[in-house]
Amino acid sequence: MTETTTTTGSGGETHQRVTGDAAVLTTNHGVPVGDNQNSLKSGARGPTLLEDFVLREKIFHFDHERIPERIVHARGSGAHGVFEATADISDLSKAAVFTKGEHTEVFVRFSTVAGGAGSVDTPRDVRGFAVKFYTREGNWDLVGNNIPVFFIQDAIKFPDLVHSVKMEADRAYPQAGSAHDTFWDWASLMPETTHMLMWAMSDRTLPRSFRTMEGFGVHTFKLVNAEGRASFVKFHWKPRLGLQSTIWDEALKLQAADNDYQRRDLWEAIDTGAYPQWDLGIQVFDEEFARAQPYDVLDATKLIPEDDVPVRIIGTLTLNRNPDNFFAETEQVAFLPTNIVPGIDFSNDPLLQGRLFSYLDTQNSRLGTTNFHQIPINAPRCPFGNFQRDGKMQTQVPKGRANYEPNSLAAHGEDGGPRESAERGFATVNAATGGDEQGDKQRIRAELFADHYSQARLFYRSQTESEQAHIASSFVFELSKVGVLDQVPPRMVANLRNVDEDLARRVADGLGIALPEKAAAAREPVDMAPSDALSIHKNMKATLEGRSVGILYADDSDGAEIEALVAAVAAAKGKAVLVAPKVGGATLKDGSRRKADGQLAGSPSQIFDAVAIVLSADGCAALLKEAAAVQFVMDAFGHLKAIGASDAARPLLDKAGVEPDDGVTDLGGAFIAAAGRRFYAREPGVRTLA
């Protein structure tokens, strides 16, 4: 057994170092590694250096571990659309894509992170939110997630993160989930993950739909105007339909009911003309603001509260066309953080700096050729040309001899090819990210990177009581799946004591373990003002727009009541879905036959946002003997949804354990008003939460 000593670095990161003659970590070529936690930078807040062969080899090997599936974000859904710039920000950026009134074609890919391409849509997982803008100045890829922060501060740790959360190496399970030994062993030893863990254990990782989740660029970038003045920027996507999530029990049952639930939801919304929309917002700030904060804006585990820097809306994204071919477009689309246009620039965020190397290498590995940019979904929509030639799968046929420059071929009547442009070309802004740009080459983190708990505390204390209960319960569930590594749950709870004592106690109680001693913090956390923008429940819209209502009926149901419901749901911009014991439908009270949209056994209530039960006394008596009908109502109540019911349907509600509350109504206007929301006050009565 290797003996190690554990120390803490300048950023609060964990270093485990061997002693004596124990085996030393090396590169693939046997060179001993002195620091496996930090990439090599020019100063603590300077850019990552290309000469860092440890970083490059580690990520290079990681990028080539899987073929041909993506290592992460393998399961995805894509759509075409358009971005319209709606605000004049020429004072901030010269990028053509932000010219007010400009319309830019886009392709967007949503994805889960941990699972393979054949996994399900609805695990507890981060969702990717990647947008390719086909601007008139070249492609710009904004490659982000539905959470504004990340697990790690330095790209050198990315292979360790993914190895720990993926299927365990000796047994190849579990798939698409973090509730297992290796992830929590790693995370509990990496305090910098704490803020992201709060988001991951919240309902943010259980989105109701791609259409009702936010997107974030995660990193701090720069905007550059025509005069060369740079500002820091964070990018936000705000869904027009508002935020909405599922709850854990509902997500589990969705996996059984429809493995493609979110993929289907996106496709059908676009196919029926209910085009999903997001507003693009920016948080813009300067170096003076950055210096004044108790956190480092280059730290990808930190966010900038919207209360401190409000999000300014500058454009709208509309998805209006489904792919013609999944493989050719959604599967072959290649997003690159290095796809950038004049007017936008990078910061020295060490996680971003590593991504700038990694993604290009990854796409070459996945798509098998340096010419992957010629695949139609990846090709720019503006004129492009250079002197790069040949290579595997070359589809272009360049003419002439000009494959180098400078050349004088044009002076001899030949085509000399394109040339650089100082005026129109991309130029890295001549502005330091911070005052510590210069300095010795070091494997080090900036001092403020050591605060791993302040923003985790901010996030937790910004949630509603229901959301806090969900977070605590998620930690309990995930840590309960840790097997033989019995040191891991107490170690994780010890970290949580730095976030919030009540949270730590609830998790410890839920696990049935003693409250451990608080873990030593590399930098003592500070209290930050709670922010409503961090809560899903505080940002949900009470609307039926873009949502669905399942209407359960049977033989002898009142057709007029059904028609009135369908009309009322449509008037509220929702979608009514008729469910009957048989897909052929049922014979109504007036003797007519009404076909169903789905069979009861295959259309459980978890696929709907609200349900209505339209039954006669005889129809109700028949469904009392149908387990699927009882479960339909029971799950709707347990998942905190509105339930509208005819008087005759009351026995079915009673058998399903439905108790009266504001979300249980008749079939009139009260149901339509209730159907656009969830009733979280009901939850303590239907399940035990931490």
Side-chain angles (χ1 to χ4, degrees), residues 184-236:
W184 287 102
D185 181 39
W186 179 82
S188 66
L189 289 166
M190 294 287 290
E192 69 196 65
T193 65
T194 306
H195 187 198
M196 181 66 169
L197 289 174
M198 304 305 295
W199 288 78
M201 295 300 104
S202 79
D203 294 344
R204 292 277 180 160
T205 48
L206 302 173
R208 155 65 179 83
S209 165
F210 296 134
R211 299 179 293 127
T212 58
M213 70 182 193
E214 290 181 310
F216 302 90
V218 179
H219 306 288
T220 295
F221 292 89
K222 294 177 186 175
L223 294 178
V224 186
N225 66 13
E227 288 72 46
R229 180 174 60 85
S231 306
F232 290 125
V233 65
K234 293 270 195 179
F235 292 106
H236 297 246

Side-chain angles (χ1 to χ4, degrees), residues 116 213 216-217 229 271 307 445 503:
M213 70 182 193
F216 302 90
R229 180 174 60 85
D271 195 48
D307 310 76
R445 299 190 192 188
L503 170 62

Side-chain angles (χ1 to χ4, degrees), residues 453-607:
Y453 300 114
S454 295
Q455 292 212 348
R457 178 181 296 177
L458 162 66
F459 180 80
Y460 183 73
R461 295 182 178 177
S462 298
Q463 309 302 301
T464 65
E465 289 185 9
S466 294
E467 289 174 304
Q468 289 180 345
H470 290 178
I471 291 170
S473 298
S474 299
F475 273 109
V476 171
F477 173 82
E478 297 261 329
L479 290 169
S480 72
K481 296 297 183 180
V482 174
V484 298
L485 305 181
D486 55 7
Q487 296 180 10
V488 171
R491 188 163 63 223
M492 193 65 236
V493 175
N495 289 344
L496 292 179
R497 291 193 66 178
N498 287 297
V499 177
D500 186 90
E501 288 287 357
D502 180 62
L503 170 62
R505 278 193 297 269
R506 292 165 78 166
V507 175
D509 288 345
L511 292 170
I513 63 175
L515 187 67
E517 185 177 344
K518 180 189 293 188
R523 188 179 179 90
E524 282 301 310
V526 298
D527 288 325
M528 301 175 67
S531 171
D532 287 348
L534 302 180
S535 164
I536 292 179
H537 293 185
K538 295 174 185 177
N539 289 279
M540 293 176 72
K541 293 185 177 180
T543 177
L544 262 181
E545 182 177 358
R547 302 178 186 178
S548 62
V549 176
I551 302 175
L552 176 62
Y553 69 107
D555 287 344
D556 204 35
S557 289
D558 190 325
E561 284 187 320
I562 294 173
E563 289 301 325
L565 262 177
V566 170
V569 171
K573 298 183 179 180
K575 176 184 178 182
V577 181
L578 298 179
V579 179
K582 299 178 181 179
V583 75
T587 301
L588 303 180
K589 183 178 180 181
D590 62 3
S592 64
R593 187 79 178 172
R594 183 65 187 261
K595 190 178 185 304
D597 299 309
Q599 181 187 15
L600 173 59
S603 305
S605 62
Q606 51 262 31
I607 68 175

Side-chain angles (χ1 to χ4, degrees), residues 340-401:
I340 203 103
V341 293
I344 306 170
D345 206 349
F346 311 119
S347 75
N348 288 342
D349 173 346
L351 181 60
L352 173 61
Q353 292 278 315
R355 293 179 75 199
L356 300 181
F357 163 76
S358 179
Y359 277 60
L360 180 62
D361 183 58
T362 298
Q363 302 303 353
N364 181 31
S365 176
R366 282 194 62 246
L367 300 172
T369 170
T370 56
N371 290 316
F372 69 84
H373 62 282
Q374 296 179 18
I375 299 172
I377 194 65
N378 296 320
R381 309 288 167 84
C382 62
F384 66 98
N386 52 49
F387 296 97
Q388 296 170 27
R389 295 290 186 267
D390 307 334
K392 187 190 301 182
M393 301 300 292
Q394 173 61 253
T395 63
Q396 297 176 341
V397 186
K399 297 180 180 179
R401 294 191 289 173

